[in-house]
Amino acid sequence: MASDTKAIRSTILVPVFIPAVVVALLLVIGTISNPELAGEAFSATLAWITDTFGWFYMLSVAIFLVFIVSVGASKWGNIKLGPDHAEAQYSFPEWFAMLFSAGYGIALLFFGVAEPVLHYATPPAGAAETVDAAKQAMQIAFFHWGFHIWAIYGLVGLVLAYFAFRHGLPLSIRSALYPLIGEKIYGPIGHAVDIFAILGTMFGIATTLGLSVTQINAGINYLWPEVPISTTVQVIAIAVITAAATVSVVAGMDKGVKRLSILNMVLAVSLMLFVFVVGPTIHILETFLQNTGSYLSGIVERTFNLQAYTRSDWIGNWTLFIFGWTIAWAPFVGMFIAKISRGRTIRQFVFGVMLVPSVFTFLWFSVFGDTALNLIMNEGLNTLITDVQDDHAVALFKLFDVLPWSFFISLLTVLLIITFFVTSSDSGSLVIDSLASGGVINTPAWQRVFWAVLEGAVAAVLLLAGGLSALQTMTIASALPFAIIMLIAAVGMWRALVIEGHRETSLQAHMMSSRHMTGSQWKHRLAAIVEFPGQHEVEMFIKNTAMNAMREVEQELKAKGWDATAEFDAENLRSHLQVHREHHVDFIYDVRLTEHPMPGFVYGELKRDPDEPEAYYRAEVYLRRGGRSYDVFGYDEHDIIKDILDQFENYLHFLNISPGKLPWDMNEHDDMINTDDPEPGKA
């Protein structure tokens, strides 16, 4: 009964949950009580933030881009997101496919046609509806949805993955502050960080849902004209689809949601390929290459362009809104890409996250945007401009209107937007609930239902208060504190990597010193190199020789007043020595049994005997940070004691020179000793 009560009760972290809910409810109640006044307040707030902090948003995003590319290209790029011996959870094709789905979907469906057409009709500089305006329109679209967007997502994802999988900290934004404030991340400062992350995510999701229902409404009106385009229809759509998302949460349809996400991607790619084939195919390929080149050549100028000399609403309505939306949305997308990236190196993560989705985005805008511009410029379809200006949401459907099978394609698009909506709401609820629970993944279903309903309510009231303008305002406003948190997180990440660098230096010193062998040690090492022992031999070696050496070191350390424990882990076939240091990270020395395929050079020119074993075994050393990939099989007790002392000496040296401390607690993510799924129930 007690366990049932506990399950029903919650995993809520009260200091985070209560303030986040109170702020969200005050917004909902205040807006419902006086939508007109709320709308005016939102407009004034948007203008003030844009005028006052526009420069800060642009500078922050530039810093995020430079930081993540620099880290990926540096020596730190080889660091694993997990223990040193960790293997990637997913193959490259699987990983890339999931990257496509992260942060992608509703935004591209909404803006894929609308944004290039609107920039072509009203460019931020120069004459409208010219060839230069068309070029500029595509360059701006690439800039808004290219590397900068993925630098924002990538920074949050990298921070979360690094501190969670490599240091055992909660999968939460507060963990990035550990190198700066240590254990205080579990106090008020950490709570405040997670509150801002929750509010940002909630308003980011609300913006997404708001844009989705306007496009769904436009699609339904296109298919069935008797259904009007109105706020009432949109609020009803939010209610219906939020209900579908809550059913998904309650039913625990993790696998269903995963399959739905794959279906989303298949449908989206199919839609793009259809337009590519029936549209101006050669023109699309030409413009894709040209626009990519123009984007790369002008990326620095656009990054710092604030229209300081012209002063208009354009920068706030477009660049700042999209960057703010992305920053607000970043905890959600960041957590998703972090979860799928355990075991990858930082370099793989950075360049995978930056390049793959960006190239796909450029293709998307080339297919949809350039097809629309070609229809306007070369086919005389000028009505498309006025239609899109009147209602951004109809852009995609007006494009389909001049393509074959328009009704079928439009129906497919509406269904695609709905499924994106459901999966975004469901997944967003999971992320917010995890943040509100201090990083706990497995939470009761009712908590996720609560957040799903609250997200739908926020989206509905913002639409009532002023539609897109209100959504823009709350997105940009909520992104302001979170942008500051991201900058602090980047500093925390940099400091953690500096500490990593000192650790690597001390380990390299060991590898140098371990080459100085005395007595018979060289014979033992030679035997380990040229012999390929079986499983039983290595097991006995680890259980007896390695364990005896560790017990000798344990006894001597205890005699000197140090807290040390040595034990044999029969389940995982490893001998384990741990030295405990109060207020410091413990010293760990493991000798583990590992299996390897027999190398080809063993057989020389001779034909391989089919009865020969296909694998051999090693007794490999593992430290706190993971496997060091060297074998001690064949060593005697004195050799192993020497190796332990070499590593222990380097550990003490690291403690002495390190500018800070990190937990280095990655047992949960060590697949060799922890076979449990860290996220049970997750598909």
Side-chain angles (χ1 to χ4, degrees):
M1 180 70 184
S3 61
D4 291 344
T5 307
K6 188 177 179 181
I8 294 169
R9 194 180 294 161
S10 71
T11 57
I12 285 170
L13 188 62
V14 174
V16 176
F17 180 86
I18 297 297
V21 172
V22 167
V23 171
L25 289 178
L26 285 174
L27 174 75
V28 171
I29 296 165
T31 304
I32 290 173
S33 60
N34 195 333
E36 287 85 10
L37 182 63
E40 292 172 9
F42 287 143
S43 298
T45 304
L46 181 63
W48 179 75
I49 291 175
T50 302
D51 292 342
T52 310
F53 295 104
W55 66 271
F56 175 74
Y57 280 98
M58 299 295 281
L59 180 61
S60 298
V61 174
I63 291 171
F64 301 154
L65 179 60
V66 171
F67 176 83
I68 194 168
V69 172
S70 300
V71 168
S74 72
K75 62 180 181 181
W76 296 325
N78 295 319
I79 294 170
K80 284 280 185 75
L81 298 174
D84 282 349
H85 59 278
E87 298 291 332
Q89 286 178 290
Y90 303 99
S91 66
F92 266 110
E94 291 172 331
W95 187 56
F96 288 155
M98 285 186 279
L99 285 178
F100 280 139
S101 63
Y104 159 79
I106 290 166
L108 296 188
L109 285 167
F110 190 91
F111 289 109
V113 175
E115 185 168 350
V117 170
L118 290 167
H119 295 328
Y120 172 72
T122 52
E129 300 184 29
T130 61
V131 172
D132 285 338
K135 291 178 183 177
Q136 190 179 171
M138 293 307 300
Q139 289 169 29
I140 292 168
F142 277 33
F143 172 69
H144 283 164
W145 301 101
F147 294 148
H148 293 73
I149 294 295
W150 288 99
I152 297 168
Y153 290 150
L155 176 61
V156 176
L158 181 61
V159 165
L160 288 171
Y162 175 79
F163 285 105
F165 303 146
R166 195 149 178 90
H167 296 288
L169 292 169
L171 196 66
S172 180
I173 306 299
R174 67 172 71 203
S175 299
L177 274 60
Y178 189 93
L180 304 175
I181 61 174
E183 297 296 321
K184 291 180 181 177
I185 64 167
Y186 300 109
I189 297 173
H191 299 334
V193 167
D194 282 353
I195 290 166
F196 286 124
I198 287 171
L199 291 173
T201 304
M202 187 182 297
F203 293 124
I205 291 172
T207 302
T208 302
L209 302 189
L211 293 176
S212 299
V213 291
T214 59
Q215 201 169 19
I216 289 168
N217 192 181
I220 293 173
N221 174 262
Y222 173 81
L223 297 168
W224 299 283
E226 58 271 19
V227 179
I229 294 178
S230 68
T231 307
T232 306
V233 174
Q234 291 163 18
V235 170
I236 292 169
I238 286 177
V240 171
I241 300 173
T242 300
T246 55
V247 169
S248 169
V249 169
V250 172
M253 293 170 56
D254 286 331
K255 290 186 178 177
V257 170
K258 183 178 179 180
R259 292 190 185 107
L260 196 61
S261 299
I262 294 168
L263 177 64
N264 287 344
M265 289 309 305
V266 170
L267 290 175
V269 172
S270 302
L271 195 64
M272 185 176 72
L273 289 173
F274 172 78
V275 177
F276 176 73
V277 171
V278 302
T281 305
I282 301 300
H283 177 70
I284 290 169
L285 291 171
E286 290 173 344
T287 54
F288 168 70
L289 287 174
Q290 183 172 329
N291 292 329
T292 302
S294 300
Y295 163 71
L296 293 173
S297 66
I299 191 169
V300 174
E301 184 181 356
R302 290 203 179 277
T303 298
F304 297 100
N305 182 13
L306 281 161
Q307 295 186 305
Y309 295 98
T310 53
R311 293 292 175 192
S312 70
D313 295 334
W314 187 91
I315 197 88
N317 291 334
W318 283 106
T319 306
L320 296 185
F321 164 61
I322 291 168
F323 284 178
W325 183 14
T326 305
I327 292 169
W329 195 234
F332 169 36
V333 179
M335 193 171 289
F336 173 80
I337 60 178
K339 283 180 180 177
I340 65 173
S341 301
R342 180 160 62 96
R344 298 240 165 252
T345 65
I346 288 177
R347 185 168 294 115
Q348 288 172 346
F349 178 93
V350 168
F351 291 102
V353 168
M354 292 291 292
L355 287 175
V356 177
S358 294
V359 171
F360 184 81
T361 302
F362 297 162
L363 274 169
W364 183 275
F365 273 98
S366 295
V367 169
F368 288 92
D370 275 310
T371 299
L373 292 178
N374 183 66
L375 287 168
I376 296 168
M377 297 170 71
N378 300 322
E379 306 290 335
L381 192 65
N382 290 318
T383 54
L384 185 58
I385 294 175
T386 52
D387 288 336
V388 174
Q389 286 176 327
D390 291 340
D391 186 357
H392 302 354
V394 305
L396 196 56
F397 302 103
K398 291 294 181 181
L399 175 66
F400 293 154
D401 209 11
V402 297
L403 298 178
W405 306 340
S406 60
F407 184 89
F408 173 74
I409 296 296
S410 297
L411 183 62
L412 189 69
T413 302
V414 171
L415 291 173
L416 183 59
I417 298 166
I418 290 171
T419 55
F420 269 129
F421 191 148
V422 172
T423 51
S424 293
S425 179
D426 188 9
S427 307
S429 305
L430 184 72
V431 168
I432 292 176
D433 192 29
S434 178
L435 288 169
S437 302
V440 175
I441 300 297
N442 301 307
T443 58
W446 72 264
Q447 289 178 203
R448 279 172 276 165
V449 170
F450 170 81
W451 289 112
V453 171
L454 189 56
E455 289 158 18
V458 170
V461 299
L462 289 175
L463 279 176
L464 290 168
L468 185 59
S469 174
L471 292 166
Q472 284 180 315
T473 302
M474 290 313 301
T475 300
I476 294 175
S478 63
L480 183 59
F482 196 68
I484 297 169
I485 290 167
M486 284 180 67
L487 288 170
I488 297 170
V491 173
M493 182 82 189
W494 173 81
R495 185 165 173 78
L497 291 172
V498 169
I499 296 169
E500 278 260 10
H502 284 84
R503 180 71 172 151
E504 188 62 37
T505 301
S506 67
L507 289 169
Q508 285 174 353
H510 164 74
M511 299 307 289
M512 296 286 289
S513 65
S514 67
R515 297 290 185 244
H516 300 292
M517 292 172 285
T518 58
S520 63
Q521 194 177 6
W522 71 270
K523 294 180 180 179
H524 301 148
R525 185 161 176 246
L526 178 63
I529 292 172
V530 300
E531 294 176 3
F532 301 91
Q535 182 173 350
H536 180 71
E537 292 175 82
V538 182
E539 278 185 25
M540 290 299 100
F541 172 83
I542 294 172
K543 188 176 181 179
N544 297 317
T545 307
M547 195 67 245
N548 292 339
M550 290 184 189
R551 287 202 175 105
E552 282 196 53
V553 175
E554 176 197 24
Q555 290 168 8
E556 194 63 26
L557 282 168
K558 284 182 174 179
K560 304 288 185 189
W562 287 64
D563 184 6
T565 55
E567 58 184 7
F568 178 71
D569 180 359
E571 183 181 353
N572 297 300
L573 295 172
R574 63 175 183 142
S575 291
H576 178 76
L577 173 69
Q578 186 165 355
V579 182
H580 309 277
R581 295 293 291 159
E582 193 174 353
H583 307 306
H584 293 285
V585 64
D586 295 346
F587 170 74
I588 288 175
Y589 186 95
D590 276 6
V591 179
R592 302 184 187 180
L593 178 77
T594 60
E595 182 181 357
H596 302 269
M598 194 72 76
F601 65 77
V602 173
Y603 305 102
E605 301 297 321
L606 300 175
K607 187 176 179 181
R608 180 171 181 174
D609 186 346
D611 295 328
E612 288 287 331
E614 295 184 356
Y616 75 103
Y617 293 82
R618 288 159 58 104
E620 291 190 356
V621 173
Y622 287 71
L623 305 177
R624 165 72 71 172
R625 212 177 67 168
R628 298 309 305 160
S629 297
Y630 68 93
D631 182 16
V632 293
F633 178 77
Y635 285 25
D636 61 22
E637 288 182 22
H638 290 96
D639 297 338
I640 294 175
I641 290 171
K642 179 184 181 304
D643 194 61
I644 293 171
L645 294 182
D646 285 342
Q647 293 286 15
F648 186 58
E649 189 175 19
N650 289 315
Y651 156 80
L652 295 175
H653 178 65
F654 166 69
L655 292 185
N656 183 46
I657 66 171
S658 175
K661 63 176 184 176
L662 292 166
W664 303 102
D665 184 11
M666 54 190 87
N667 280 356
E668 182 187 349
H669 307 291
D670 188 343
D671 292 332
M672 292 183 69
I673 59 174
N674 181 24
T675 55
D676 297 331
D677 185 353
E679 297 169 33
K682 284 287 293 164

